[in-house]
């Protein structure tokens, strides 16, 4: 029962991904071919909402549900983020999905995506194993 709220939020998030067609391989291909504004509009909207939300959290000095102060540390540029972003984008272009939509695709009946989830899990494990040796 403790985690039911997270399950419900995940189902709601998956529903939003399916209805907005973010999990559609064709929409993602359109984006990478610069043929449609659809995905850029959704990603841009998410960035604006995130920026506005963080600004409100900082401005109002909001606290978490448990009453703890929310601390958002400053991020420093790292060339490792560029390499990681390129690898992530390459995987996104090849498979047509990033981590969130993968589960929405499985929930929509595209079970072949389980192969992508399997290899994404292996990639995460490899990153964890080699993390200390990679540029950060």
């Amino acid at each position: 029962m403790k985690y039911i709220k997270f399950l419900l939020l995940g189902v709601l998030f998956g529903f939003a991904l399916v209805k907005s067609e973010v999990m559609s391989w064709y929409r993602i291909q359109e984006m990478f071919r610069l043929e449609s504004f659809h995905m850029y509009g959704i990603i841009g909207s998410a960035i604006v909402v995130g920026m506005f939300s963080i600004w409100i959290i900082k401005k109002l000095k909001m606290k978490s549900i448990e009453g703890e102060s929310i601390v958002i540390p400053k991020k420093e540029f790292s060339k490792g983020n560029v390499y990681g972003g390129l690898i992530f984008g390459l995987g996104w272009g090849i498979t047509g999905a990033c981590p969130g939509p993968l589960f929405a695709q499985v929930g929509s009946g595209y079970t072949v995506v389980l192969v992508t989830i399997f290899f994404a899990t292996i990639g995460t494990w490899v990153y964890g194993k080699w993390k200390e040796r990679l540029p950060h």
Side-chain angles (χ1 to χ4, degrees), residues 1-128:
M1 287 308 276
K2 182 179 175 184
Y3 298 109
I4 194 78
K5 60 187 171 191
F6 300 114
L7 177 65
L8 293 175
L9 283 173
V11 169
L12 183 65
F13 183 61
F15 184 77
L17 291 176
V18 171
K19 285 300 183 185
S20 65
E21 298 183 11
V22 170
M23 47 73 74
S24 167
W25 184 85
Y26 297 104
R27 288 288 184 190
I28 294 167
Q29 292 303 309
E30 284 176 346
M31 175 184 71
F32 283 120
R33 285 192 238 133
L34 305 174
E35 294 176 352
S36 172
F37 180 75
H38 184 87
M39 291 293 287
Y40 295 111
I42 291 173
I43 292 169
S45 299
I47 290 171
V48 169
V49 168
M51 289 171 58
F52 187 67
S53 299
I54 289 175
W55 180 77
I56 288 176
I57 289 170
K58 287 182 175 179
K59 189 78 175 173
L60 301 177
K61 297 180 181 169
M62 297 176 78
K63 296 187 184 249
S64 70
I65 293 174
E66 289 84 22
E68 300 170 352
S69 295
I70 298 173
V71 178
I72 302 171
K74 288 194 171 202
K75 300 284 184 182
E76 292 185 26
F77 175 76
S78 168
K79 63 182 180 183
N81 291 341
V82 174
Y83 298 136
L86 289 172
I87 293 170
F88 179 84
L90 181 64
W92 194 11
I94 291 171
T95 63
C98 60
L102 284 175
F103 296 99
Q105 288 173 331
V106 171
S108 297
Y110 302 107
T111 53
V112 70
V113 176
L114 290 171
V115 174
T116 306
I117 291 174
F118 174 75
F119 284 104
T121 304
I122 289 176
T124 303
W125 182 84
V126 168
Y127 172 76

